[in-house]
Amino acid sequence: MVSGSRAAMAPPNGNDRDTPGTTRRTLLAGVAALGALGAAGCTRVATASTEDGGDLLDRLRAAGVVRLGIAGEIPFGYIDKNGDLTGEAPELAKVIFKRLGVDRVQPVPTEFGSLIPGLNSQQFDVVAAGMYVNPERCEQVIFSDPDYQMLDSFIVRKGNPKGLHDYKDVVEKKARFATGTGYAEIQYAVEAGYKESDILIVPDQVAGLNAVEAGRVDVFAGTALTTREVVKKSGKAEATKAFTPLVGGKPHVDGGAFAFRPTETKLRDAFNAELRGLKKSGELFRILKPFGFTEAEMTDLTAKELCGGGTGG
């Protein structure tokens, strides 16, 4: 998603094949999809910060509804075949906001690259799209602590004939490489030495699977969740074992979280308090498990860690 890579995708709706737009969570803020609009929008909001942490939570309680920005990507946040809002982030939002005194959630679908600009221009109240937390984004929004962590994986032909297990393998074996629009995997491949202009960019993980099956590329990179879900019905492709990409030469684990306007620290803090309770009780895993998440993808990472000490923590 992108939704960078981000998404256990199986059902036919969402960002698989039938829902337009980019994928989620892994779209880097530095990638052009966010563009100057995102930066400009966040600058205006950030300079108008209030001392008391904002009053959005009070206003949401009074209205009885919170507007969730989603990017139509399975399993992070999407509209299902019955026209209902679901996904790991919306289902988690339903539980937490109900505990905060807000009974209803209302989806506001948009492209992944428009989530941060849309949030900061008040088109919706919260980003609920499994967005990866990174320092660039932390300059534009504030994040809750992550509700999941994620490693990368590849889609390859059955039997993995080229023996591709990480980005170094892709470079050394001169494999034809693809990933999704705005995916963080673009950065990871380039950091490993792959020429960016040689990367085939496709809309999403389904297109990536098709490219591998058709032999147009040797490998498609996405999140471990994305790849293992999308290959389940494939007779020609498989997902590799999850691995940790390198950032700055060091192993890097991504984490997905909810995003809030920089002024709304009171809402973010209240959300975090409920999230911590769900983690402690084990209810968080029960909420996320139906969307393909495993216990290994539960996390104690904080937004502050992933922001690198930036404003998002």
Side-chain angles (χ1 to χ4, degrees):
M1 328 236 231
V2 189
S3 126
S5 54
R6 129 196 84 56
M9 332 293 161
N13 285 53
N15 232 28
D16 262 323
R17 202 186 271 285
D18 302 328
T19 302
T22 57
T23 37
R24 89 142 206 72
R25 72 208 142 357
T26 41
L27 183 69
L28 298 176
V31 175
L34 288 180
L37 177 59
C42 80
T43 300
R44 289 195 299 270
V45 174
T47 56
S49 60
T50 58
E51 293 183 2
D52 64 358
D55 64 353
L56 180 57
L57 179 55
D58 293 333
R59 289 188 281 118
L60 296 178
R61 285 169 172 161
V65 61
V66 56
R67 298 170 301 163
L68 305 179
I70 65 170
E73 184 180 6
I74 300 170
F76 300 98
Y78 60 99
I79 306 299
D80 68 15
K81 291 182 291 185
N82 299 318
D84 297 323
L85 172 65
T86 191
E88 65 90 13
E91 295 301 334
L92 179 55
K94 292 173 187 177
V95 172
I96 290 182
F97 278 102
K98 192 169 188 67
R99 294 185 178 195
L100 292 175
V102 184
D103 290 335
R104 293 193 301 115
V105 298
Q106 175 184 323
V108 182
T110 188
E111 292 187 355
F112 191 84
S114 299
L115 285 169
I116 287 179
L119 176 68
N120 283 328
S121 62
Q122 302 193 38
Q123 295 175 31
F124 35 85
D125 304 306
V126 180
V127 171
M131 180 178 281
Y132 276 4
V133 181
N134 63 35
E136 294 84 358
R137 288 178 179 148
C138 294
E139 293 301 316
Q140 304 179 55
V141 297
I142 57 174
F143 284 98
S144 67
D145 287 331
D147 48 273
Y148 72 89
Q149 66 182 23
M150 191 61 62
L151 301 181
D152 278 11
S153 177
F154 293 154
I155 297 174
V156 295
R157 297 279 293 187
K158 285 281 189 182
N160 196 0
K162 286 187 173 289
L164 305 173
H165 301 285
D166 58 25
Y167 294 104
K168 183 180 178 181
D169 289 341
V170 171
V171 174
E172 290 181 348
K173 298 180 181 182
K174 298 181 180 179
R176 295 167 298 166
F177 177 81
T179 190
T181 304
Y183 280 26
E185 286 75 11
I186 297 170
Q187 176 196 18
Y188 302 154
V190 170
E191 179 147 342
Y194 204 90
K195 190 176 180 181
E196 186 169 358
S197 60
D198 289 342
I199 299 174
L200 175 64
I201 303 297
V202 297
D204 54 30
Q205 70 288 343
V206 174
L209 171 65
N210 292 341
V212 172
E213 289 181 332
R216 296 197 304 274
V217 296
D218 300 306
V219 57
F220 171 86
T223 66
L225 180 57
T226 301
T227 57
R228 69 173 176 249
E229 291 296 320
V230 78
V231 301
K232 282 183 175 179
K233 295 183 180 180
S234 175
K236 298 180 179 180
E238 65 185 36
T240 65
K241 184 178 179 180
F243 65 92
T244 307
L246 300 180
V247 173
K250 298 179 180 179
H252 175 76
V253 178
D254 283 300
F258 288 72
F260 305 82
R261 286 187 287 275
T263 52
E264 303 299 342
T265 57
K266 184 183 294 183
L267 174 59
R268 189 275 310 271
D269 292 347
F271 188 98
N272 264 347
E274 296 295 340
L275 179 61
R276 284 192 294 270
L278 294 175
K279 289 182 177 182
K280 186 175 181 179
S281 69
E283 187 173 352
L284 175 62
F285 179 55
R286 291 193 291 273
I287 294 170
L288 270 56
K289 185 177 180 180
F291 298 98
F293 291 81
T294 67
E295 288 195 56
E297 285 150 357
M298 299 300 96
T299 183
D300 291 322
L301 284 170
T302 66
K304 186 174 182 179
E305 290 176 273
L306 294 174
C307 287
T311 57

